[in-house]
Amino acid sequence: MEQKVSNNNSFMGYTRSDLTNFLIAMILSFVAIPLVVQTDYWYSSILIPWLCLALAAIGQQIVMGYAGQLALGAAGFMAAGAFACFNLILRVPDIPFFVALGLSGLVAAAFGILFGLPSLRVRGIYLMVATLASQFFIVWMIDKFGWFKNYDTSGIITAQDIVILGKPFTSPLEMYLVILVVVTVLTILAVNMARGSTGRNWMAVRDMDIAAESMGISLLKTKLQAFAICAFYCGVAGALFAFTYLKSLEPVAFDIKLSFKILFMVILGGLGTISGAFIGAAFILLFPVLLNSVGNNVFHGAIDATIISSIEQVVFGVLIIVFMIYEPLGMAKLWGNIKQRFSRNK
Amino acid sequence: MTEVLFFIEVVVAGLLAGTMYSLVALGFVLIYKASATFNFAQGAMVFFAVLAFVGFMELGLSFPVSFVVTVLLMVLVGFCTERLVLNPLMNQSEDTLLMATIGLGFVLEGLAQAAWGVEVRRLDLGIGDFPIEWIIDVFGLFVSALDVTAGIVAAVLIIGLALLFKYTRMGLGLRAVADDPGAASSIGIPLKNIMLLVWSAAGVVALVAGMMWGARAGVQFALVDLALKALPVLIIGGFSSIPGAIIGGLIIGATEKVLEVYLGPFFGGAIEGWAPYVLAIFFLLYRPEGLFGEKIIRRV
């Protein structure tokens, strides 16, 4: 490994295969998909929510997979980001979209620090309960104070159109590209944080916080940093989710069920890997679609939709148990195993 | 004077509603005591048990028969959980077990809904959710009969469980396992049977809690969310203490009601949804192990 880092073929410590993978992913997502995929359905129902939820899952991954803090309030931070973005665009004239997006991430990060404070005293399930407070409190606050919803009486408000440099981005393809840019930038950032000293501190705290502290790592700084960054990612993801996928803002959309979904993405995808966030998000999103189409095509609608969604729940639950027993590192690890097997045979 | 009476009424209603939280929390504590596993699926077990109970009633079974059948079903659930989930995960970290029980919760919720549907059911226990008349006459207080019943049932259950733990061989074994599972199994205490007993007991407690909640709010999915409120109860009371679960429930119940009635109107109401969690955070900052929990000592 050491040799590879100092190799001429590497760039900033990335190996050549890392860079090729990155290039392939970029070409696929920025060029190939927009050229090949023409139906709006794919963008608005699959690619857009996938990228948004994957971004939130990266946030959850940072706090849970890297820093080892069991938090269950991602949807609350997403709601904070979404409504911050709505209010910024509504109340600040001519605010550029990306500035509003960044600021709403910061608003969510402030909540992240506030509700991350208990992590300094407690861990495990205790912390989970403390973070549930953020989930219920943020959604309640948005729901009860009319100002956040611009005193809209219907309770459901439409998100503004995304306008960048005077050009509206309203078609599914255009919105997909906007999200893709944000997700790409934030993913690169996350990968680098995870590889750098920040990530090493997180992992040291995760593996044994007392040992980390005795080695001079500040628990206060490391834990709160993880919470803030997690909330930032969730906030940005929430704003994008509301503006491009939901297209309307209602606090109920960010209930505890969404938090559980994001938790599952991280667990099934693989704790402690950024790629796990993407794999997990894809799985959680696509599995119900698959199950529904099986229900419709194989059984021709003979099975009730509520039964299908119940079965979906059972399958998710069983999968989590199975992964916990056989592969606690999730699908990202499974994928790695398959790859390793083939490269060994070469 | 009426204001004082009203305050007492609010507190009493809160305390009695709190016993319902205690009932749910009791199930958590049972399992935590015996296996140091935080059973996140307890809420789902409440939902599963009461939905099964109502389902059997709808099949035309009588009240006691449905009760017995549901208890047997919960024993079966406990058995499967022990064999399929806990046994393979033995000696794993607490967090891994916690996540596995989250999965278990999803399985139970899904199974319950697949088997008995998603519509809200009514559960009539023959006890109305109305004020008891003689209490109005004597004290001038409005106290719901259902609340009082829940309080009595909780008391009976707790005394029953306490006697079981204290005076039976099984109970002695259970305390040994709770103390040190390795040492307990090395002197021949049947770990598996103990686990089965504990999970079955938690299942029965879940059924009783579900019946109380179901009679008040209808048998529906929202019960799972209500059961989440047992978490702050546990934080306040401590995870390994049965009296803690009771007192935690009473504190949460009373505080929540008082805050809702006196502070709620200033914030547009519905602060019940998050007030228990915030209360729990304050307790956490002051006493992380809960009022009655064992002090957590961690070493490198």
Side-chain angles (χ1 to χ4, degrees), chain B residues 32-36 171-184 189 191 294:
Chain B
Y32 191 84
K33 252 177 111 75
S35 56
L172 189 65
L174 186 126
R175 278 183 288 151
V177 172
D179 212 33
D180 186 339
I189 290 172
L191 210 59
E294 288 148 32

Side-chain angles (χ1 to χ4, degrees), chain A residues 70 121 126 140 208-209 317, chain B residues 98 239 269 274 285 288 298-299:
Chain A
L70 210 53
R121 287 290 300 250
Y126 292 85
W140 170 85
M208 185 93 220
D209 54 356
Chain B
L98 171 62
F239 281 87
W274 54 267
L285 295 178
R298 301 185 57 243
R299 296 186 181 88

Side-chain angles (χ1 to χ4, degrees), chain A residues 64 70 118 121-126 128-130 132-133 136-137 140 144-145 208-211 256-257 260 263-264 267 271 306-307 310 313-314 317-318 320-321 324-325, chain B residues 38 40 84-85 88-89 95-96 98-100 102-104 106-107 109-111 113-114 118 221 231 235 239 267-271 273-274 277 281 284-285 288 298-300:
Chain A
M64 196 170 148
L70 210 53
R121 287 290 300 250
V122 294
R123 53 208 308 286
I125 181 71
Y126 292 85
M128 203 174 198
V129 178
L132 272 178
F136 290 115
F137 181 79
W140 170 85
K144 284 295 164 193
F145 294 94
M208 185 93 220
D209 54 356
I210 299 179
I256 183 131
K257 282 211 179 94
F260 269 117
L263 181 76
F264 286 179
I267 297 178
L271 283 169
T306 52
I307 301 233
S310 307
Q313 239 183 349
V314 174
V318 169
I320 287 185
I321 296 172
M324 281 298 133
I325 294 173
Chain B
F38 187 85
F40 205 86
L84 301 176
V85 184
L89 281 173
D95 287 358
T96 309
L98 171 62
M99 286 185 254
I102 294 179
L104 176 68
F106 265 66
V107 172
E109 285 162 22
L111 281 179
Q113 286 178 331
V118 288
F221 190 74
L231 296 178
I235 298 254
F239 281 87
F267 298 110
I271 62 173
W274 54 267
Y277 297 94
I281 290 185
L284 277 179
L285 295 178
R298 301 185 57 243
R299 296 186 181 88
V300 175

Side-chain angles (χ1 to χ4, degrees), chain A residues 284-301:
Chain A
I284 298 278
L285 203 67
L286 288 180
F287 185 73
V289 177
L290 183 81
L291 206 61
N292 264 321
S293 74
V294 168
N296 288 337
N297 296 326
V298 180
F299 298 101
H300 301 287

Side-chain angles (χ1 to χ4, degrees), chain A residues 2-286:
Chain A
E2 279 303 308
Q3 262 182 339
K4 263 192 178 164
V5 172
S6 58
N7 200 313
N8 280 339
N9 290 331
S10 68
F11 166 71
M12 284 173 65
Y14 289 101
T15 61
R16 198 174 210 174
S17 75
D18 284 340
L19 293 175
T20 5
N21 285 346
F22 176 71
L23 267 180
I24 293 172
M26 286 297 100
I27 293 171
L28 262 180
S29 53
F30 276 100
V31 184
I33 287 179
L35 283 178
V36 176
V37 182
Q38 299 293 349
T39 41
D40 282 354
Y41 171 82
W42 268 88
Y43 291 110
S44 50
S45 301
I46 298 196
L47 288 167
I48 288 176
W50 174 53
L51 287 176
C52 293
L53 292 176
L55 193 60
I58 293 177
Q60 179 80 14
Q61 189 69 270
I62 285 172
V63 83
M64 196 170 148
Y66 285 99
Q69 307 298 308
L70 210 53
L72 181 63
F77 298 137
M78 285 175 79
F83 279 86
C85 199
F86 168 76
N87 279 297
L88 281 165
I89 294 179
L90 180 78
R91 289 166 211 281
V92 183
D94 299 326
I95 187 169
F97 180 74
F98 285 119
V99 174
L101 198 61
L103 286 176
S104 41
L106 290 179
V107 170
F111 278 105
I113 293 175
L114 181 66
F115 286 101
L117 281 175
S119 72
L120 303 175
R121 287 290 300 250
V122 294
R123 53 208 308 286
I125 181 71
Y126 292 85
L127 182 60
M128 203 174 198
V129 178
T131 53
L132 272 178
S134 77
Q135 165 77 49
F136 290 115
F137 181 79
I138 293 174
V139 172
W140 170 85
M141 187 183 74
I142 294 168
D143 208 29
K144 284 295 164 193
F145 294 94
W147 186 84
F148 293 112
K149 297 192 283 189
N150 200 25
Y151 301 103
D152 189 285
T153 43
S154 68
I156 302 165
I157 25 180
T158 320
Q160 301 95 332
D161 285 342
I162 298 172
V163 180
I164 297 165
L165 298 173
K167 183 192 180 319
F169 283 70
T170 44
S171 83
L173 175 62
E174 290 164 342
M175 290 196 288
Y176 163 76
L177 288 172
V178 172
I179 299 173
L180 193 59
V181 169
V182 177
V183 170
T184 307
V185 170
L186 287 180
T187 305
I188 294 173
L189 205 67
V191 170
N192 278 305
M193 277 192 292
R195 298 183 333 132
S197 63
T198 323
R200 276 156 208 264
N201 285 351
W202 287 337
M203 286 185 266
V205 169
R206 172 191 68 192
D207 293 339
M208 185 93 220
D209 54 356
I210 299 179
E213 194 178 21
S214 63
M215 284 165 60
I217 296 171
S218 159
L219 289 189
L220 176 97
K221 195 184 140 216
T222 313
K223 285 182 176 175
L224 289 187
Q225 192 184 37
F227 267 97
I229 293 171
C230 157
F232 180 87
Y233 275 72
C234 288
V236 171
L240 289 174
F241 195 58
F243 274 69
T244 59
Y245 178 65
L246 301 173
K247 303 216 178 71
S248 65
L249 288 108
E250 42 180 342
V252 199
F254 300 97
D255 64 354
I256 183 131
K257 282 211 179 94
L258 186 60
S259 284
F260 269 117
K261 260 190 190 165
I262 292 165
L263 181 76
F264 286 179
M265 287 171 193
V266 174
I267 297 178
L268 291 180
L271 283 169
T273 52
I274 298 290
S275 59
F278 285 92
I279 300 173
F283 180 78
I284 298 278
L285 203 67
L286 288 180

